[in-house]
């Protein structure tokens, strides 16, 4: 910014002067102002203050263009957990739940509705289903979808995806967009940061219009901005992987909880990990765990494999114990006996060996 330049570099002389007439001839007081013209300032250039910060205005306009009007159905622990981040990113949030969460919603910057009709008449761009696995189908059957815009995006966050995909395709109008997602974290594992945590999604049905494609990307960007590891895969692939990871994790956590793990003064890091596992899984309801088992067709296979693995370990332990008992009973009597290695011979094309072969082997 260029400085103000005066025609006289020295101190202004004489200074500006004001003269009041203490006894004016009229009833109205007069004021005379004498400004020495030779000392008048001339403004060559000035960086005048703007009525608003232009860069801030552009940033605000950009945020508004990226923001979404999002409705959350089911404002329990997980719905409130998501709303904190959505609100912080500048999205407009609405919520509905059978339980009255008006005060909590207000504290989170969320407009709470006690009636789904009122919520849907607000025409949200995105509706997130944060209901439990067991209640989702029943909830879908009662929602007034006719009050929504026909291009609305419906998003689920259930832990089982094929089941979610099938019931959304069954009950939603064909005009609606469907995005199946699974944030593989929750209020406990994601309370500090979402960086590196997996977010799985499947674009089940998205319209071809540019604004609908853009809307899906803006919604996914909510999680990408937080540092989530974005993983796109089909619902079937998700359930296959989740049965071997999420369901097994929950099962082991609940088994150890029933076992009754307690902390001790000599905990190892491995033991602390087990205690953390119990704490994390104990925070989830048994309803969630039952839903993981009931609505993922791969879960039963994993449960059977866990049972077989446990039995195999027991068998191996008892086998070692049998060897110790035998040694105690018979001493070193078996040490001198040379055991022949037993070789299992394959049959020729699945048929038993011929009589000549048997005779050669026995001679």
């Amino acid at each position: 910014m260029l400085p103000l330049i005066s025609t006289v570099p020295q101190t202004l002389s004489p200074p500006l002067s004001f003269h009041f007439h203490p006894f004016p001839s009229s009833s109205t007081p007069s004021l005379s102002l004498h400004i020495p013209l030779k000392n008048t300032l001339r403004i060559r250039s000035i960086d005048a203050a703007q009525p608003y910060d232009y860069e801030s205005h552009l940033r605000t306009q950009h945020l508004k263009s990226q923001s979404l009007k999002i409705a959350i159905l089911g404002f329990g622990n997980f719905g409130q957990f998501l709303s904190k981040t959505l609100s912080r990113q500048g999205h407009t949030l609405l919520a509905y739940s059978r339980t009255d969460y008006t005060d909590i919603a207000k504290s989170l910057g969320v407009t709470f509705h006690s009636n789904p009709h009122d919520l849907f008449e607000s025409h949200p761009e995105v509706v997130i289903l944060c209901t439990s696995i067991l209640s989702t189908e029943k909830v879908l059957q009662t929602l007034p979808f006719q009050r929504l815009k026909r291009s609305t995006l419906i998003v689920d966050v259930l832990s089982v995806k094929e089941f979610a995909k099938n019931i959304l395709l069954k009950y939603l109008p064909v005009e609606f967009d469907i995005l199946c997602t699974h944030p593989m974290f929750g209020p406990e594992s994601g309370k500090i940061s979402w960086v590196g945590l997996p977010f799985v999604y499947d674009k089940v049905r998205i319209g071809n219009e540019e604004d609908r494609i853009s809307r899906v990307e803006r919604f996914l960007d909510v999680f990408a901005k937080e540092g989530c590891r974005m993983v796109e895969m089909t619902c079937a692939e998700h359930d296959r992987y989740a049965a071997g990871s999420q369901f097994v994790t929950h099962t082991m956590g609940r088994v150890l909880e029933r076992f009754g793990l307690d902390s001790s003064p000599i905990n190892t890091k491995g033991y602390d990990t087990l205690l953390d596992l119990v704490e994390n899984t104990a925070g989830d309801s048994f309803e969630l765990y039952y839903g993981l088992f009931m609505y993922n067709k791969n879960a039963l296979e994993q449960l059977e494999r866990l049972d077989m693995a446990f039995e195999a370990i027991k068998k191996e332990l008892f086998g070692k114990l049998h060897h110790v008992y035998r040694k105690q009973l018979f001493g070193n009597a078996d040490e001198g006996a040379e055991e022949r290695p037993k070789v299992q011979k394959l049959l020729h094309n699945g048929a038993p060996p011929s009589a000549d072969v048997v005779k050669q082997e026995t001679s």
Side-chain angles (χ1 to χ4, degrees):
M1 181 179 72
L2 294 176
L4 298 178
I5 300 176
S6 171
T7 55
V8 181
Q10 292 83 7
T11 305
L12 292 177
S13 178
L16 298 179
S17 61
F18 294 87
H19 298 280
F20 292 87
H21 298 281
F23 301 102
S25 58
S26 64
S27 59
T28 304
S30 63
L31 170 67
S32 62
L33 175 64
H34 301 279
I35 303 177
L37 294 179
K38 66 178 181 179
N39 294 325
T40 302
L41 297 176
R42 289 187 301 166
I43 299 175
R44 298 274 182 91
S45 174
I46 186 170
D47 186 6
Q50 300 295 320
Y52 54 82
D53 186 339
Y54 188 63
E55 292 182 358
S56 176
H57 175 71
L58 288 179
R59 184 167 56 252
T60 302
Q61 290 297 103
H62 175 71
L63 289 175
K64 286 184 178 180
S65 68
Q66 296 299 309
S67 66
L68 293 165
K69 191 175 186 179
I70 302 174
I72 300 175
L73 294 183
F75 202 58
N77 289 336
F78 196 78
Q80 295 171 27
F81 168 68
L82 287 182
S83 69
K84 294 175 183 177
T85 298
L86 293 171
S87 178
R88 176 168 48 79
Q89 290 190 9
H91 300 284
T92 301
L93 299 182
L94 316 170
Y96 162 73
S97 193
R98 290 176 297 177
T99 304
D100 186 3
Y101 290 111
T102 302
D103 293 337
I104 296 177
K106 186 177 181 180
S107 68
L108 296 173
V110 180
T111 302
F112 186 81
H113 292 271
S114 58
N115 190 303
H117 291 262
D118 297 335
L119 176 68
F120 283 8
E121 284 178 351
S122 300
H123 294 160
E125 300 171 83
V126 181
V127 176
I128 305 178
L129 297 173
C130 289
T131 51
S132 68
I133 298 173
L134 301 182
S135 65
T136 298
E137 185 169 12
K138 183 178 180 180
V139 170
L140 287 174
Q141 292 173 335
T142 61
L143 292 175
F145 292 116
Q146 71 278 6
R147 299 189 182 278
L148 291 171
K149 291 183 179 180
R150 285 178 293 178
S151 61
T152 304
L153 171 63
I154 308 297
V155 180
D156 89 281
V157 292
L158 299 184
S159 299
V160 288
K161 298 270 56 84
E162 279 197 288
F163 168 72
K165 173 184 175 181
N166 291 336
I167 61 173
L168 290 176
L169 290 172
K170 178 179 179 180
Y171 292 107
L172 293 182
V174 294
E175 298 86 1
F176 284 14
D177 289 346
I178 299 175
L179 178 67
C180 287
T181 75
H182 183 195
M184 301 196 69
F185 50 90
E188 284 298 322
S189 55
K191 61 183 176 183
I192 298 176
S193 171
W194 295 2
V195 174
L197 300 177
F199 181 88
V200 182
Y201 63 95
D202 184 9
K203 299 175 183 177
V204 175
R205 185 174 69 198
I206 307 297
N208 295 324
E209 294 84 350
E210 184 178 346
D211 59 333
R212 297 171 80 162
I213 296 173
S214 172
R215 180 180 57 190
V216 171
E217 296 305 323
R218 280 184 287 155
F219 179 80
L220 292 174
D221 198 42
V222 169
F223 300 89
K225 284 180 180 178
E226 298 298 317
C228 290
R229 180 161 54 88
M230 308 299 287
V231 183
E232 184 173 8
M233 64 172 56
T234 66
C235 293
E237 288 176 318
H238 167 275
D239 283 2
R240 186 167 62 252
Y241 287 123
S245 59
Q246 187 184 27
F247 178 72
V248 170
T249 300
H250 276 261
T251 299
M252 296 309 300
R254 292 191 174 276
V255 167
L256 293 173
E257 182 187 16
R258 297 288 180 90
F259 179 76
L261 289 187
D262 292 320
S263 183
S264 73
I266 56 171
N267 286 2
T268 62
K269 289 185 177 181
Y271 192 75
D272 283 335
T273 301
L274 294 180
L275 291 173
D276 290 339
L277 173 62
V278 172
E279 182 180 358
N280 288 335
T281 54
D284 295 318
S285 66
F286 188 81
E287 185 182 47
L288 169 63
Y289 177 61
Y290 178 71
L292 294 175
F293 172 75
M294 185 69 181
Y295 295 102
N296 188 336
K297 63 182 181 182
N298 305 286
L300 179 60
E301 178 187 352
Q302 297 300 321
L303 195 61
E304 291 175 343
R305 288 183 61 192
L306 281 173
D307 188 50
M308 287 167 44
F310 187 63
E311 289 299 324
I313 290 175
K314 286 170 57 179
K315 185 177 180 180
E316 185 175 358
L317 287 174
F318 292 150
K320 294 288 186 181
L321 188 62
H322 173 76
H323 178 72
V324 172
Y325 283 158
R326 180 178 178 83
K327 190 172 182 179
Q328 289 178 353
L329 290 173
F330 300 104
N332 300 326
D334 297 333
E335 288 184 1
E338 183 179 352
E339 293 186 1
R340 282 181 153 185
K342 297 180 181 179
V343 180
Q344 184 176 1
K345 296 184 179 180
L346 299 177
L347 301 180
H348 301 282
N349 297 325
S354 62
D356 295 335
V357 173
V358 175
K359 185 176 180 181
Q360 291 176 4
E361 291 180 351
T362 54
S363 61

